[in-house]
Amino acid sequence: MTNLKHTLVGTVSALALVAGLGLGADATKAEQAQDADAGATLANIVRNPADLPGPIARSEPAVVKVALETVELEGALADGTSFRYWTFNRKVPGPFVRVRVGDTIEVTLTNAEDSMMLHSVDFHAVTGPGGGAVATQTMPGETTAFTFKALNPGIYVYHCATPMVADHIQAGMYGLILVEPEEGLPAVDRELYVMQGEIYTEQPFGQRGEAVTDYEKLLDEKPEYYVFNGAAGGLTGLDAMQANVGETVRIYFGVGGPNKTSSFHVIGEVLDKVYDYGSLTTAATTDVQTVSVAPGGATVAELTFEVPGRYLLVDHALSRLERGLVAQIAVEGPDNPAVFDTLGAELDLAGH
């Protein structure tokens, strides 16, 4: 029998953790985007982790056009809390860019007319001054462009690089670009796109209303919120990632930062393969529990789920969970008591 229905409510500690963030298991980001104090609907800035292009089928280099728009908007940071995000294409992280080694990438950056700030983009996959940032310092209402050749396969971060760079990044301006090797990547059943960041606010974590940036906290590296895909608990409840028993899932995981290293970990699973530092030209490390990913860094991890349930994706610096840093993967499929059996007890994370 499919186990998903009872796992939605059966993982007691997992739901308690989520409830502690003010997010019920049945909450959605659309519901959280309703500012209870002001009655205003806020933008849902959380990028769906399944929102990424599929593998490249061609075997020859091509010209790839990448259009980015920098948009500043009021978004839902947490239940009843808003924040003015600076975004690429209205979501955090920005769009997943997928190219092949040898491709020529034409980047166009448009800064929305109603922006208050200058914005730009620096791709870590670029070989050239500023990674593109020198060419793309873009005033509101204007457009800039540059081209680059993808010389090195791997998974790379991109981000705004307009001073104060850390401010633009913490406000949501980061994303990933995948440069596939010539032979491509091994086929998997499902791919997901997750990035970790920090947000530094004057208001304490969880205070309702509008939150604004605290620059002293930013310079002291003391965030109020830690986020996956832009918002506290934004990938939980009905917005959890989905997978099935037996599927091999590839996670492209990056850290926008701007300051904190992540100890990327999936509670209740072992990562089958990890491409260290996001390098796709060296052999993957196998059977990994936790991966260190630096700010401005990324990794590629693969895992296969043998047991149904609701799994937590966390930074194993676990105090950060109390400041919003938790995501869920809801895995559906038949029970597998030969691998894991609760013997009738309620699932618990105590002692993990």
Side-chain angles (χ1 to χ4, degrees):
M1 171 180 119
T2 296
N3 206 29
L4 178 63
K5 196 173 285 187
H6 78 257
T7 57
L8 292 175
V9 293
T11 310
V12 177
S13 354
L15 294 180
L17 295 175
V18 176
L21 298 172
L23 307 171
D26 295 326
T28 68
K29 286 308 297 178
E31 292 166 343
Q32 295 159 31
Q34 191 73 23
D35 184 334
D37 295 329
T41 300
L42 303 170
N44 175 12
I45 55 80
V46 175
R47 182 169 297 280
N48 183 340
D51 179 18
L52 73 168
I56 293 173
R58 56 186 165 80
S59 58
E60 298 296 329
V63 175
V64 179
K65 298 180 184 295
V66 175
L68 298 175
E69 183 183 19
T70 59
V71 181
E72 302 170 11
L73 73 170
E74 290 293 323
L77 171 57
D79 186 16
T81 304
S82 67
F83 182 72
R84 186 167 181 82
Y85 288 90
W86 303 343
T87 72
F88 291 110
N89 296 25
R90 298 180 176 271
K91 295 290 183 181
V92 180
F96 189 93
V97 180
R98 192 166 198 153
V99 301
R100 177 189 180 277
V101 69
D103 285 351
T104 297
I105 296 88
E106 296 183 357
V107 179
T108 301
L109 183 73
T110 299
N111 193 350
E113 288 187 4
D114 61 355
S115 292
M116 296 186 292
M117 302 296 297
L118 188 75
H119 294 299
S120 62
V121 63
D122 164 9
F123 284 88
H124 289 188
V126 166
T127 301
V134 176
T136 57
Q137 298 296 328
T138 310
M139 295 293 292
E142 296 185 358
T143 297
T144 57
F146 74 100
T147 67
F148 72 95
K149 196 172 191 68
L151 301 178
N152 305 97
I155 183 78
Y156 300 95
V157 170
Y158 67 85
H159 60 85
C160 183
T162 300
M164 172 182 180
V165 178
D167 187 20
H168 288 249
I169 291 174
Q170 70 99 27
M173 302 194 78
Y174 48 83
L176 290 180
I177 175 171
L178 173 66
V179 182
E180 292 193 7
E182 290 184 359
E183 66 277 13
L185 294 174
V188 293
D189 298 297
R190 192 183 298 262
E191 295 184 323
L192 299 169
Y193 172 30
V194 181
M195 290 194 76
Q196 179 171 324
E198 311 123 36
I199 298 178
Y200 300 76
T201 64
E202 291 181 4
Q203 295 72 20
F205 176 86
Q207 180 172 308
R208 299 174 71 86
E210 182 182 2
V212 297
T213 297
D214 186 312
Y215 290 95
E216 185 173 348
K217 290 178 183 176
L218 177 57
L219 292 173
D220 289 342
E221 302 184 12
K222 296 180 178 178
E224 287 293 330
Y225 291 84
Y226 289 89
V227 296
F228 287 134
N229 287 21
L235 301 178
T236 60
L238 295 181
D239 296 302
M241 294 170 275
Q242 305 294 316
N244 295 312
V245 167
E247 287 185 334
T248 297
V249 178
R250 177 178 292 141
I251 301 176
Y252 299 102
F253 181 81
V255 179
N259 297 314
K260 304 295 186 178
T261 295
S262 174
S263 300
F264 170 66
H265 179 79
V266 179
I267 297 177
E269 261 294 349
V270 175
L271 303 174
D272 300 326
K273 293 181 181 180
V274 172
Y275 294 86
D276 295 318
Y277 306 107
S279 172
L280 301 177
T281 54
T282 54
T285 303
T286 58
D287 304 322
V288 177
Q289 59 183 322
T290 301
V291 184
S292 292
V293 184
T299 193
V300 180
E302 296 175 6
L303 68 165
T304 302
F305 293 96
E306 290 83 12
V307 179
R310 188 160 282 238
Y311 293 79
L312 298 188
L313 187 156
V314 298
D315 178 340
H316 216 293
L318 286 170
S319 294
R320 297 174 182 178
L321 188 150
E322 306 302 328
R323 292 185 176 271
L325 196 57
V326 61
Q328 295 176 320
I329 306 174
V331 179
E332 185 173 357
D335 290 329
N336 190 350
V339 173
F340 180 79
D341 192 348
T342 65
L343 303 178
E346 292 181 329
L347 298 180
D348 199 331
L349 297 181
H352 176 81

